[in-house]
Amino acid sequence: MGVLEIRAMVDGDPVVISEAFTALGWPGRTVARYEGLLGQQLRGERDVFVATVDGELAGYVTLTWEPTYDHGAGIPEVQDLNVLPVFRRRGIGNALMDAAEARAAERASVIGIGVGLYADYGSAQRMYVQRGYLPDGRGVMYDWKPVPPGETIRLDDDATLMFTKLLG
């Protein structure tokens, strides 16, 4: 596979990440978005881990210390795990998760994550369960709010099931 490196996001990464994911046709993957993540990292609000293989971008994940969703007091949340298609099924997603979980364990005993509900998230759903994440028991969320029984929602990226995992 080459040499895998997991490191913190640095200047220059926002442009590279934006170009790579925009080329896949993913909406909203602007340089400004990634510059915002870098700024949050510099302020200590979030950690952003970047995976490279032989120096080439392979993926990234973020760990936010103040998530929008309330998993519970002080529970950090993994957000936005993405591995470029050409690098998938090589353990890079798990390596990024290892880095995020190790960092979270420095400050918390529990970590949270949300996962989409449709088939594009199938690999992530399986990986999180294999890594020991369990549904938090609050049911389906839409835009960070519980979906009441009988309500119809749009099945898009805002429809999620939230998970937590004990660290340590």
Side-chain angles (χ1 to χ4, degrees), residues 15-167:
V15 170
V16 173
I17 296 170
S18 173
E19 288 175 352
F21 286 95
T22 298
L24 296 175
W26 291 17
R29 303 300 169 151
T30 64
V31 173
R33 172 191 176 133
Y34 295 107
E35 286 174 342
L37 293 176
L38 181 58
Q40 289 177 355
Q41 178 177 268
L42 295 172
R43 292 188 301 274
E45 300 165 3
R46 177 184 305 265
D47 286 281
V48 184
F49 300 95
V50 174
T52 61
V53 174
D54 293 334
E56 182 181 350
L57 175 70
Y60 71 95
V61 69
T62 77
L63 177 68
T64 184
W65 298 101
E66 298 293 332
T68 302
Y69 178 76
D70 182 22
H71 291 281
I75 296 179
E77 183 179 290
V78 173
Q79 295 178 344
D80 215 17
L81 172 63
N82 289 294
V83 176
L84 291 167
V86 68
F87 291 105
R88 290 183 185 158
R89 308 201 60 77
R90 298 185 191 184
I92 294 168
N94 273 308
L96 285 163
M97 289 295 294
D98 288 344
E101 290 174 7
R103 178 71 175 110
E106 295 173 11
R107 294 172 50 181
S109 60
V110 178
I111 190 169
I113 195 165
V115 65
L117 301 178
Y118 57 90
D120 288 359
Y121 289 97
S123 293
Q125 293 165 355
R126 288 188 303 273
M127 180 177 75
Y128 301 152
V129 170
Q130 289 169 348
R131 294 184 65 86
Y133 287 82
L134 297 172
D136 71 0
R138 296 183 191 173
V140 173
M141 298 286 154
Y142 191 84
D143 196 26
W144 310 114
K145 297 174 194 78
V147 177
E151 185 170 317
T152 300
I153 61 168
R154 179 182 174 105
L155 188 55
D156 60 16
D157 291 344
D158 290 326
T160 59
L161 190 60
M162 306 306 288
F163 290 78
T164 56
K165 175 183 176 178
L166 292 174
L167 298 170

